[in-house]
Amino acid sequence: MRINEINMFKLNMKMKNPFTTSFGTQHTRSFIIVEAKSSKGVSGWGECVTSDSPLYIEEFTDSSWLMLEKFLIPLILNTTIDHPDDVQERFNPYKRNHLAKSAIEGAIWDLYAKTEGIPLATALGGTRTSIEVGVSLGIEDNITNLLANIKEKVAEGYKRIKIKIKPGKDIEVIDTVRQHFPDIPLMVDANSAYTLEDVHVLKEMDKFNLMMIEQPLTAGDLIDHAKLQKEIKTPVCLDESIHSFEDTQKAIELKSGKIINLKIGRVGGLTQSKEIHDLCTQFGIPLWCGGMLESGIGRAHNIAITSLENFTLPGDTASSSRYWEKDIIEPEVVVENGKLTIPDKPGIGFEVDMNELLKNSVEKQTFK
Ligand code: OSB
Ligand code: MG
């Protein structure tokens, strides 16, 4: 494939409801959409899943924009790409900046699958035709609101409920949730808010029959998580500690956790995601696909990667309507009874709604 045009769109998209984690509240998502066009006039789409500030990860929308403009796009524009697996190698000399790398790599994957006339899921080696979906619920000031949110999502059929926690908003909250919903598949996500000094609190969570505790300790840490996992029965799931195949190897060797939340952006793209998937399959580590409050474009990529066999736990790929009044793809993602069908159309399997895309765009840059 010859790439002869790349477009970057910076979007500010208002969320239906604010989303609160241990690191803050998001009302609007600020992110980048990348379009890569081939000489045959086919467009591939990718999403850079940043936000305004470097709270979850070190990248943020303006830093990734600059990274794409100055370093990554010049490595792709007016070049020929035989296979999307080659993109990660081309980007390798530049350190990190995984969200930026993943955005353009994702666009190339979509373009490749469309050019081949096959669904992205098939291009990635996916075997599932449908996937199970869970939902991630933010921290609420008021427990009544949280209980109402859970009730609604359980009624909608989501296969697992994840609630965000932080010190002071943990044991009592989980206890109340369990009293109201004794049997639902439930997990918690701390977004790095605890330290080993809190082992007693995390240990107390063993009594709630949680599927897992996601990223209890510092982002990037593997050693303390291993110490923690030895002390508690609840499986530790790693999110902000896994940025690469190498991190995954180390986490497995150190026994830092029993489950991995894979996010395509965080690990630098779909090729790296496949490699991590295969390694985890080999070592019996189950995966699920996490979310970054994506628009439909990023969500479509998440759905495609989840079709791989070792994504055995429900992911955070909820319906478009959970996040947006109107998504930027057609049709929107609709989870039915906690399930999604893997699209059978070429590429990501959804059309980009150019009207909505441009309506939410605050900046556009074209490279030819
Ligand atoms: O830690 O998984 C996380 C959202 C933004 C940043 C980090 C996380 C999340 C979520 C929401 O949990 C997942 C989603 O619904 O997209
Ligand atoms: Mg997380």
Side-chain angles (χ1 to χ4, degrees):
M1 301 173 301
R2 182 91 191 152
I3 312 299
N4 59 7
E5 183 178 332
I6 295 178
N7 290 302
M8 280 206 293
F9 303 84
K10 182 172 163 185
L11 277 76
N12 277 345
M13 224 166 134
K14 193 177 177 304
M15 300 191 65
K16 235 185 192 175
N17 299 295
F19 188 80
T20 301
T21 64
S22 62
F23 55 70
T25 300
Q26 276 185 273
H27 298 267
T28 303
R29 266 215 59 222
S30 151
F31 59 100
I32 302 164
I33 294 294
V34 175
E35 177 187 22
K37 279 194 192 173
S38 73
S39 51
K40 289 184 180 152
V42 183
S43 281
W45 296 89
E47 178 165 339
C48 183
V49 297
T50 41
S51 55
D52 267 337
S53 14
L55 293 169
Y56 166 81
I57 197 167
E58 66 276 14
E59 291 173 85
F60 55 102
T61 307
D62 291 344
S63 79
S64 296
W65 183 278
L66 197 60
M67 184 67 199
L68 281 156
E69 179 188 349
K70 258 182 107 76
F71 296 104
L72 302 178
I73 289 175
L75 288 180
I76 300 295
L77 188 66
N78 294 319
T79 73
T80 299
I81 297 167
D82 293 332
H83 190 278
D85 279 337
D86 303 342
V87 174
Q88 109 167 351
E89 224 173 275
R90 225 182 265 192
F91 288 167
N92 233 358
Y94 295 128
K95 304 289 181 289
R96 303 281 283 213
N97 288 284
H98 288 176
L99 305 191
K101 288 175 178 173
S102 172
I104 187 160
E105 194 239 31
I108 301 293
W109 268 101
D110 179 32
L111 178 56
Y112 169 77
K114 281 173 178 156
T115 305
E116 296 288 307
I118 55 173
L120 177 58
T122 308
L124 293 167
T127 49
R128 292 173 197 281
T129 54
S130 94
I131 59 171
E132 296 204 328
V133 183
V135 66
S136 172
L137 301 176
I139 294 173
E140 297 286 340
D141 287 338
N142 182 331
I143 185 83
T144 315
N145 291 348
L146 179 63
L147 294 172
N149 290 346
I150 296 174
K151 193 174 167 193
E152 182 185 289
K153 298 304 167 200
V154 170
E156 284 175 30
Y158 282 101
K159 299 287 185 196
R160 161 233 95 202
I161 302 291
K162 153 167 144 183
I163 59 173
K164 296 283 185 177
I165 56 166
K166 66 177 184 181
K169 280 263 185 193
D170 43 35
I171 302 296
E172 213 185 307
V173 174
I174 308 168
D175 195 19
T176 310
V177 169
R178 264 299 179 226
Q179 281 172 35
H180 285 79
F181 305 94
D183 302 318
I184 56 165
L186 181 68
M187 61 171 287
V188 295
D189 185 359
N191 285 109
S192 321
Y194 297 84
T195 70
L196 277 184
E197 291 186 5
D198 304 308
V199 169
H200 59 288
V201 181
L202 298 162
K203 212 171 188 164
E204 215 181 319
M205 294 180 196
D206 277 343
K207 67 181 181 213
F208 298 123
N209 185 30
L210 301 173
M211 295 169 79
M212 67 195 93
I213 302 179
E214 182 176 342
Q215 197 70 33
L217 310 178
T218 315
D221 165 77
L222 294 172
I223 292 174
D224 286 356
H225 280 96
K227 289 182 186 161
L228 172 68
Q229 184 66 91
K230 273 200 199 126
E231 299 289 323
I232 64 174
K233 285 204 214 77
T234 310
V236 169
C237 168
L238 299 171
D239 176 351
E240 291 96 317
S241 284
I242 302 291
H243 296 268
S244 62
F245 180 85
E246 252 187 52
D247 286 348
T248 312
Q249 278 180 314
K250 288 175 185 164
I252 292 170
E253 186 176 334
L254 292 167
K255 299 189 166 61
S256 309
K258 295 180 177 164
I259 299 170
I260 289 176
N261 163 347
L262 187 134
K263 291 183 185 167
I264 303 163
R266 200 190 62 228
V267 303
L270 285 164
T271 297
Q272 190 79 167
S273 297
K274 279 195 301 168
E275 290 170 5
I276 292 172
H277 168 272
D278 295 350
L279 180 68
C280 287
T281 307
Q282 195 186 326
F283 284 92
I285 304 280
L287 293 175
W288 56 278
C289 183
M292 291 290 286
L293 312 172
E294 284 91 349
S295 82
I297 294 175
R299 193 167 306 282
H301 287 264
N302 291 345
I303 293 167
I305 195 71
T306 307
S307 69
L308 272 65
E309 59 166 343
N310 195 33
F311 284 85
T312 52
L313 295 162
D316 276 343
T317 53
S319 294
S320 296
S321 64
R322 144 128 189 80
Y323 311 86
W324 319 112
E325 289 297 345
K326 178 85 185 65
D327 206 338
I328 60 173
I329 52 163
E330 270 296 327
E332 300 205 344
V333 174
V334 182
V335 175
E336 273 172 354
N337 218 353
K339 287 195 162 191
L340 275 174
T341 306
I342 302 289
D344 55 10
K345 298 196 188 74
I348 58 173
F350 297 85
E351 293 299 322
V352 174
D353 181 337
M354 282 312 289
N355 253 342
E356 284 302 319
L357 174 74
L358 293 172
K359 219 158 75 183
N360 290 289
S361 294
V362 291
E363 215 172 323
K364 181 190 171 187
Q365 202 168 335
T366 297
F367 303 83
K368 280 191 185 197

